[in-house]
Amino acid sequence: MGALTELDDRAIDALHEQAAISYGTFKKREVRLNMARGKPALGQLDLVERLLDLPGRGNHVAHDGTDCRNYGGMEGLAEARALYARLIGARPENTMVGGNSSLALMHDNIVYSMLKGNPSSPLPWNRAGRIRFLCPTPGYDYHFNMTEEYGIQMISVPLGEDGPDMDRVEALVAEDAAIKGMWCVPKYSNPTGAVYSDAVIERLARMPAAAPDFRIFWDNAYIMHHLTEERIETANLLTACERAGNPDRALMFMSTSKITFPGAGLAVFASSETNMRWFLASASRRSIGPDKINQLRHMCALPDESALYALMDQYRAIIAPKFDAVYGTFDRLLGDPRVATWTRPKGGYFISLYADGCARRTVELAGEAGIALTPTGAAFPYRNDPDDRHIRVAPTTLSADEVGLAAEGIALAVRLAASEREKARRSLRVT
Amino acid sequence: MGALTELDDRAIDALHEQAAISYGTFKKREVRLNMARGKPALGQLDLVERLLDLPGRGNHVAHDGTDCRNYGGMEGLAEARALYARLIGARPENTMVGGNSSLALMHDNIVYSMLKGNPSSPLPWNRAGRIRFLCPTPGYDYHFNMTEEYGIQMISVPLGEDGPDMDRVEALVAEDAAIKGMWCVPKYSNPTGAVYSDAVIERLARMPAAAPDFRIFWDNAYIMHHLTEERIETANLLTACERAGNPDRALMFMSTSKITFPGAGLAVFASSETNMRWFLASASRRSIGPDKINQLRHMCALPDESALYALMDQYRAIIAPKFDAVYGTFDRLLGDPRVATWTRPKGGYFISLYADGCARRTVELAGEAGIALTPTGAAFPYRNDPDDRHIRVAPTTLSADEVGLAAEGIALAVRLAASEREKARRSLRVT
């Protein structure tokens, strides 16, 4: 299973010739498949279809007597806060359930910090000169686009299998008071599937920060989205930060976007008492409260952790075979010679495929063969993948058969792109 | 029906003595009623209880084939946009349906303008020095609190029965480039019930503005919330602005908060093509899209204008008698002598009661007698009612009987406060 560089010129020529033929044959099949986004499949959505009948006529009162049909309750329903607080790892009084999008809660944390400063800020962020966020990469494009939108400078730090390069993170955060924030997807990260180790989380909690108002945006989007029987639990950043004397550092988020219905689910935000008081007061200038009926609806359908875990197991039975279909195809077509490498995440929604120096060409070729992929560079600040190597593969939306077909198209595109590149490299060397 | 000032000293003494006795007797009844906010009554909410069963299992596809259970569609469902565009007075492509709160859509317009500038801004608002909003008063406290939150200076302009004092508005907007916005509740305004005349709306559309990025925040919260058989229609600000060559001036909002469920309804925003493109792009950094299921649910329950109007007629049958209960009590207790004046709006959720120089004392006395009212000053920028005269009365939440009782408590409090004040004024004069 050698790399392409280890093959002799004749073998490269043969590989390229064969890759061009296979790719051409695939292209003639006129496949049209979209693998660009991590959307749940219809079969997943069908499993929570009962939400569409709920909470049911006459059922509009929460446990504490709140009529969910009227105004108020910015912090969310007590029973929803209690359940999601346990999941996210916070006390109910430090947890709010609000809106349909955890991304929006992250956004509003940034916006309120820009315009007013967070509770630890000497100045509003937008009057503090150029500010910066650390961005472990590859990462989530929506995070980076949001930061870019508000002119926050992004600094990439490499993301390994157990979290970001902490030597780098510690040095930057300790020295640069302009670094106000850091994006993290701590479990089954989008897109590599990395899981932050306890040691990394402890260092994130303890590290000295030059900015007193430094915040970690802890996007636990895949908190219970396991792909194996192992339910990986990560250390609790909020309590680690408390113990380390940095109680206001952690802003933790999750949502049911990939548990119930994307867009019609619940979003959750947990943090210190100080941060929650500030955020709720700020949010109370923006609206009078969240959709409590939807919270009640969710509590009817999924009243406790065991109901949620049972549902996630059903999802796993749908999703895991799709990931396996990708692995099988990649093993077969990209394993020998080793044309590319890829992750085998234990959870989440994505596989990262690494094709050094030819990611852009691969995505282009795949697109021409009818397989739409996330644009290259999307997983990097300013859409710049310095090594042109990362490709995000999103197996969930398509059927398992379609996933196998799409993976084949991608693999054939990688083979052609990589052999083209290796040929070109050698011809340059000869010249 | 003379004013208090026309009574002789003896009559004032007698009035005060009798008012103190009546108030004391009322206080002993230990009433506990809350009239502070304009919330729908439970009887109203019961009329849309069917929403709690909808859209119903198996019903998750919009007219254009969109599966409402998955991500996307920031602009809202096509059928919801078409319906609410007709109501708000815009083209569907210039209308978005999103979220549960029109206040949030106003907020986000401000926040994006602060941080990035709107499409007409030479600079983001937060880099344009001190900026200002015009605030017709009495007005809506949530508008003023939001503006204050972001350090936007508020300038009061008097609101008459047919809209704000336009001579003042035109002069200010023409001269002061720091005036970037203006709050308006054009129909059945909160809290006076004012309805902007066509002439006022035409002047708002035409007036020259020193700031190229000046915007009118047109909060049509009571767009179909009539209290009489007359369905008052106001002129269309958006088309008036287009005709006047100020196509991007109007930002129009409405919601179903007081049509279906507050907090679990739909919010609507309509504006020029330029503004909509800008807002949707900005909002797409904040979240992936709105709750389309809730839009589908609303379209099932209330598919067209006639369904909406029929529902609003049912509401009117519930609400109008509550307003009448207030008028009856006020006429009886405050009419002769003329202790106070009040509005008789043709729609909306509030009555404004004017008790010159003793609003604060009235609300205090009412509170001590168990009637909770909106804090005085709430209808004014910085909570400052310069004449201490405005009291907001919110009859909708309580039953008609309770409303009558609460109105009695308020009226007795006004009588006591006004006669106290008149006595004090005369004793000062004597000294």
Side-chain angles (χ1 to χ4, degrees), chain A residues 101-112 114 125 131 133 135 140-154 183 217 219 253 378 380-383, chain B residues 112 115-116 281-288:
Chain A
S101 161
S102 55
L103 204 63
L105 297 173
M106 299 172 216
H107 173 273
D108 291 354
N109 262 286
I110 290 180
V111 153
Y112 302 148
M114 295 292 286
W125 287 2
I131 68 161
F133 264 48
C135 303
Y140 178 37
D141 52 357
Y142 270 83
H143 289 165
F144 302 157
N145 291 342
M146 185 189 293
T147 332
E148 187 176 8
E149 179 84 346
Y150 296 118
I152 297 170
Q153 198 179 338
M154 293 179 276
W183 289 116
F217 287 71
D219 183 358
F253 306 90
F380 297 81
Y382 310 108
R383 290 161 293 285
Chain B
Y112 301 148
L115 292 173
K116 305 184 299 174
S282 302
S284 297
R285 301 303 194 196
R286 183 177 180 272
S287 96
I288 304 180

Side-chain angles (χ1 to χ4, degrees), chain A residues 54-62 68-69 293 296-297 300, chain B residues 49 52:
Chain A
L54 293 171
R57 216 173 284 224
N59 184 20
H60 50 247
V61 180
C68 299
R69 300 172 304 173
I293 294 281
L296 190 67
R297 179 177 294 122
C300 293
Chain B
E49 187 79 6
L52 302 182

Side-chain angles (χ1 to χ4, degrees), chain B residues 3 31 35 39 104 106 123 185 189 205 225 250 254 312 382 403 405:
Chain B
V31 166
M35 264 198 157
K39 291 166 78 167
M106 298 170 216
L123 279 174
V185 183
S189 90
H225 301 61
M254 66 165 287
M312 297 313 288
Y382 310 108
V403 167
L405 187 61

Side-chain angles (χ1 to χ4, degrees), chain A residues 24-37:
Chain A
T25 307
F26 185 92
K27 199 171 165 182
K28 288 211 186 83
R29 294 167 71 178
E30 296 196 344
V31 166
R32 289 293 171 271
L33 295 170
N34 192 325
M35 264 200 157
R37 303 300 317 177

Side-chain angles (χ1 to χ4, degrees), chain A residues 40 46 49 52-53 56-58 60 69-71 100 104 108 116 126 149 258 262-264 285-286 289 291 297, chain B residues 40 46 49 52-53 56-58 60 69-71 100 104 108 116 126 149 258 262-264 285-286 289 291 297:
Chain A
D46 289 342
E49 187 79 5
L52 302 182
D53 291 330
R57 216 173 284 224
H60 50 247
R69 300 172 304 173
N70 224 326
Y71 282 116
N100 69 332
D108 291 354
K116 304 186 298 175
N126 68 14
E149 179 84 346
K258 294 182 181 80
R285 301 303 195 197
R286 183 178 181 272
D291 183 344
R297 179 177 294 122
Chain B
D46 289 342
E49 187 79 6
L52 302 182
D53 291 330
R57 217 173 283 225
H60 50 248
R69 302 172 303 174
N70 224 326
Y71 283 116
N100 68 331
D108 291 354
K116 305 184 299 174
N126 69 14
E149 179 83 346
K258 294 182 181 79
R285 301 303 194 196
R286 183 177 180 272
D291 182 343
R297 178 178 294 121

